[in-house]
Amino acid sequence: MTAYTGRIATTARSRTVGSRIAASLLYPLGLPTLLLVIWGLVATRATNRFFPGPLTIAEAFRETWVGPAFVEDVLPSLARLGLGVAASIVLGIAAGTIIGLTHWLRELLEPLLEFLRAIPPPVLIPVMMLLLGITDTMKVVVIVSGAVWPILLNTIEGVRGTDSVMKETAESFQVSWWERLWFLVLPAASPRIMAGVRQALSVALILMVISEMFASSSGLGYRIAYFQRNYLIAEMWSGILLLGLVGVFLAVAFGLVERRVLRWYHGIREVNRA
């Protein structure tokens, strides 16, 4: 009787786990799959050559990006994107922490920061080309010029929002400035910082493409613009598909890092919801 009951419990747990896995796959994949099916059905009857079907784009994707183009175009773009995001994170957190901790500096720089943030980064590309030339450095600087702002501003607000009671308690216990910064200020500001990094990733991806469309002989942006100018429609859509896949990969990777870095924060939220 005990063995039979154990088998029933094990079967019930297996079904529960299986249903959870199926639900976790159904939610993110169900709607895209449905849209692809609808797209394929519509494409079989459509006569507009500018909107090919998903199978045509998939074939163009395989022929275009699986091979030398991945090394010549995709990897350099990803390298520039990675450098731009890394530089934006370092500059944004460092400058945002200093500005957020220094009241008079924050008041002094606030009008200038608002002015600079309002300038669209793409309009700076001709200036960057004159100053830095048509180089990889120019493209990375363009990425940083736009991606740094979400991180910088969120860091400033996160540092400013550190609990005053905790700061006064740390000071009363004569905790050193570096220890307060490392163990109190930055952890308290980390949810806002990570929100800024999430926004910066999408901005950086956009600016990577734009900088390569303006002046480049390689990269995803250059290749997509080349396909568009030469009416290689399926290949152009395959490049757009690749950009979407890069965006999804960045979102998934960031989600894993965020859960690791903000493990304590999500734990507190779960306790509060309970």
Side-chain angles (χ1 to χ4, degrees):
M1 184 67 179
T2 303
Y4 177 73
T5 305
R7 284 197 299 271
I8 294 177
T10 302
T11 304
R13 283 197 298 270
S14 300
R15 290 177 179 176
T16 302
V17 173
S19 62
R20 289 178 180 176
I21 294 174
S24 65
L25 293 176
L26 179 63
Y27 279 110
L29 298 179
L31 181 58
T33 303
L34 178 62
L35 293 177
L36 283 175
V37 171
I38 295 174
W39 183 7
L41 294 175
V42 172
T44 57
R45 299 182 179 182
T47 58
N48 192 336
R49 64 183 299 268
F50 294 105
F51 295 96
L55 294 179
T56 304
I57 295 175
E59 180 64 20
F61 185 95
R62 183 186 65 81
E63 295 178 354
T64 304
W65 302 111
V66 179
F70 184 82
V71 177
E72 297 171 359
D73 294 308
V74 179
L75 291 184
S77 293
L78 295 179
R80 289 188 285 264
L81 176 65
L83 288 174
V85 171
S88 300
I89 293 173
V90 173
L91 292 174
I93 294 178
T97 302
I98 296 172
I99 296 172
L101 290 174
T102 311
H103 178 74
W104 66 267
L105 184 61
R106 184 169 64 247
E107 296 292 333
L108 177 66
L109 294 179
E110 185 173 2
L112 179 62
L113 293 178
E114 292 297 330
F115 173 78
L116 294 175
R117 185 183 65 162
I119 300 176
V123 305
L124 298 176
I125 293 179
V127 179
M128 300 294 181
M129 290 170 58
L130 292 174
L131 296 176
L132 301 174
I134 305 175
T135 61
D136 288 346
T137 302
M138 181 273 293
K139 299 180 182 68
V140 172
V141 171
V142 170
I143 294 173
V144 174
S145 67
V148 72
W149 294 108
I151 304 172
L152 174 65
L153 298 177
N154 276 275
T155 301
I156 293 174
E157 293 302 318
V159 170
R160 286 181 59 189
T162 305
D163 188 82
S164 59
V165 176
M166 297 181 67
K167 290 193 293 186
E168 293 173 359
T169 302
E171 291 175 1
S172 65
F173 280 97
Q174 297 183 350
V175 178
S176 67
W177 187 88
W178 283 106
E179 289 177 336
R180 291 201 304 270
L181 175 65
W182 189 254
F183 295 106
L184 174 60
V185 175
L186 289 179
S190 58
R192 296 293 298 267
I193 294 174
M194 296 303 288
V197 174
R198 180 184 291 276
Q199 297 172 16
L201 288 175
S202 59
V203 174
L205 185 60
I206 294 170
L207 291 176
M208 178 201 76
V209 176
I210 294 176
S211 66
E212 293 173 350
M213 285 182 172
F214 266 80
S216 183
S217 58
S218 65
L220 276 170
Y222 162 78
R223 192 60 63 181
I224 292 173
Y226 172 83
F227 292 147
Q228 183 268 333
R229 288 192 297 266
N230 290 275
Y231 292 94
L232 300 172
I233 305 302
E235 288 77 6
M236 180 191 71
W237 280 106
S238 72
I240 296 173
L241 173 62
L242 181 57
L243 283 175
L245 294 176
V246 171
V248 171
F249 172 79
L250 290 176
V252 172
F254 176 80
L256 296 175
V257 174
E258 183 186 34
R259 281 195 292 271
R260 177 71 176 177
V261 173
L262 300 181
R263 182 173 48 191
W264 61 273
Y265 176 73
H266 294 300
I268 292 175
R269 292 185 61 183
E270 290 178 2
V271 171
N272 291 335
R273 282 198 298 266

